[in-house]
Amino acid sequence: MIELLPILIPALVAGLLVVLTHVPLGHQVLRRGIIFIDLAIAQVAALGIVIAHQLHLVDLFHGVEYLISVAFAMAAGLLLAALEKRIRHQLEAVIGCFYVLAATAGLLVLSHDPHGGELLKQTLSGSILWATWDVLLWHGVIVALVLALLWFKSNLLNGVWFYPIFALAITSAVDLVGVYLVFASLIMVPLATHQLANHKARLWIGYGLSVAAYAAGLLVSAWWDLPSGATLVWCLAMMALLFTWVRSRQTKKLV
């Protein structure tokens, strides 16, 4: 296990970067009632990655894949922001349509690529174990920018600016951990802690549970040679369930 530390430590840092933005954004998503927006935006970002590969744009210069992914996610975010005022009650259904259209578009684009299945798997399950320090540094800058907006311009989240900010955070996370883990990181633990009345407690408990789940998941996947993305999703789910069970027990004792 010690020999795996050079791989596991950067992977844990990647998870930490995702958690830093996803826990507060997850509570915002739950408050707005647009649960599947992360899946939709993440899938659109993944479609940008797929198209960049198919058009061989990744050969142009380092980072072009990420820029195209951001462009796709931002376009989807801005479109949803424009639609929010017009079809507020149907917005969740439209978000679902975004997801399924982006997912099937990826399948169509890769339909004649013999290596398409591997690329599709990577965008969904991620490659967190292959995170490198130079990549983490770049994503750290993105996370710092999003966190600065969350902390110092938190009122932006109450309006249409929520969507481009959300798209920026989601695109960075998809590049690091994949679509499945993006959804799990954004929803599972925040869903378990959302009913806590104290905002700071809700936030810090969410951070603690998420980081613990990432650490446990990486250790389990390394120990039993399991797919890291899928293992981490289940660890996040188990951590959220454990917290819910402990809190329900404490509530019964107080009654």
Side-chain angles (χ1 to χ4, degrees):
M1 185 64 71
I2 295 178
E3 64 272 13
L4 293 176
L5 287 180
I7 297 175
L8 295 179
I9 291 176
L12 183 59
V13 173
L16 178 62
L17 291 176
V18 172
V19 164
L20 283 172
T21 56
H22 279 43
V23 170
L25 286 175
H27 288 294
Q28 183 71 14
V29 165
L30 291 170
R31 188 184 69 80
R32 284 173 172 256
I34 46 176
I35 310 302
F36 295 107
I37 187 173
D38 53 324
L39 271 179
I41 297 293
Q43 195 65 59
V44 171
L47 176 61
I49 294 173
V50 167
I51 290 177
H53 275 271
Q54 288 302 104
L55 297 179
H56 304 290
L57 299 178
V58 293
D59 300 328
L60 294 178
F61 60 88
H62 183 69
V64 67
E65 173 187 306
Y66 179 75
L67 293 177
I68 292 172
S69 182
V70 169
F72 271 66
M74 281 290 185
L78 291 172
L79 181 55
L80 288 174
L83 292 172
E84 183 181 37
K85 293 182 179 179
R86 293 178 173 83
I87 54 168
R88 181 178 298 274
H89 297 296
Q90 292 82 36
L91 189 60
E92 183 76 344
V94 172
I95 288 170
C97 293
F98 267 60
Y99 168 72
V100 75
L101 287 170
T104 51
L107 291 174
L108 291 172
V109 170
L110 293 172
S111 59
H112 297 298
D113 187 342
H115 304 292
E118 187 60 33
L119 178 58
L120 193 62
K121 178 183 176 183
Q122 182 178 333
T123 61
L124 292 175
S125 299
S127 52
I128 189 171
L129 292 179
W130 298 106
T132 58
W133 291 112
D134 57 333
V135 170
L136 292 175
L137 179 62
W138 167 246
H139 286 285
V141 173
I142 302 298
V143 168
L145 174 61
V146 173
L147 285 177
L149 292 172
L150 292 180
W151 287 107
F152 300 111
K153 294 287 184 179
S154 58
N155 60 309
L156 292 177
L157 295 180
N158 297 323
V160 296
W161 278 101
F162 163 76
Y163 293 96
I165 293 171
F166 186 83
L168 183 63
I170 290 297
T171 307
S172 177
V174 167
D175 193 46
L176 282 174
V177 301
V179 174
Y180 294 150
L181 200 45
V182 163
F183 179 81
S185 301
L186 193 81
I187 295 299
M188 287 180 174
V189 169
L191 185 63
T193 60
H194 193 61
Q195 298 306 316
L196 294 175
N198 187 298
H199 172 72
K200 287 186 177 180
R202 189 169 60 205
L203 186 64
W204 289 107
I205 290 173
Y207 279 144
L209 292 173
S210 298
V211 171
Y214 266 88
L218 289 170
L219 288 173
V220 168
S221 66
W223 188 266
W224 280 293
D225 194 24
L226 296 171
S228 56
T231 305
L232 286 165
V233 168
W234 275 91
C235 283
L236 283 163
M238 297 304 294
M239 196 65 70
L241 287 171
L242 178 62
F243 176 79
T244 302
W245 177 77
V246 170
R247 186 165 178 265
S248 65
R249 296 272 296 181
Q250 291 176 341
T251 303
K252 287 179 181 180
K253 287 180 180 179
L254 294 174
V255 174

